[in-house]
Amino acid sequence: RGIGLFLGVELTPGPAPSHIVNRLRERGILTGVDGPHHNVIKIRPPLIFTKEDADFFVRVLGEVLQEDLV
C-alpha cells in the first residue's frame, strides 16, 4: 500500500472525461475521473507498467480524443 504510480491528465473544456474513461475501458484501459471540477483523468498503472504500456495508453487516448473531434 502507498507504493506506485499515480498520474493525472487534466482536460480543458471539451469532451466529457466520463465519456473518455468509458471509451478507454472499452479498449482495455482502466482509468477514473477526479479533480474538483471532475476534469482530470486519473491513471493508476500497476508497478510493472512498461514503456510499451505507456505508448499503448498514449496511442489509445489520442484515438479516443480524435473520435470526439469528428
Side-chain angles (χ1 to χ4, degrees):
R1 287 256 214 218
I3 297 175
L5 181 62
F6 186 95
L7 299 170
V9 177
E10 183 176 7
L11 302 173
T12 58
S18 58
H19 171 74
I20 294 169
V21 165
N22 289 334
R23 292 292 295 135
L24 290 172
R25 183 181 310 115
E26 292 169 5
R27 303 282 301 271
I29 299 173
L30 299 178
T31 58
V33 176
D34 206 345
H37 303 291
H38 305 287
N39 66 330
V40 176
I41 296 176
K42 62 182 174 181
I43 308 154
R44 297 172 299 192
L47 290 175
I48 59 170
F49 196 67
T50 65
K51 180 185 180 317
E52 290 77 21
D53 295 326
D55 291 341
F56 176 72
F57 173 76
V58 170
R59 181 174 49 81
V60 172
L61 178 61
E63 291 170 2
V64 168
L65 292 173
Q66 285 296 321
E67 291 173 1
D68 291 327
L69 295 176
V70 175

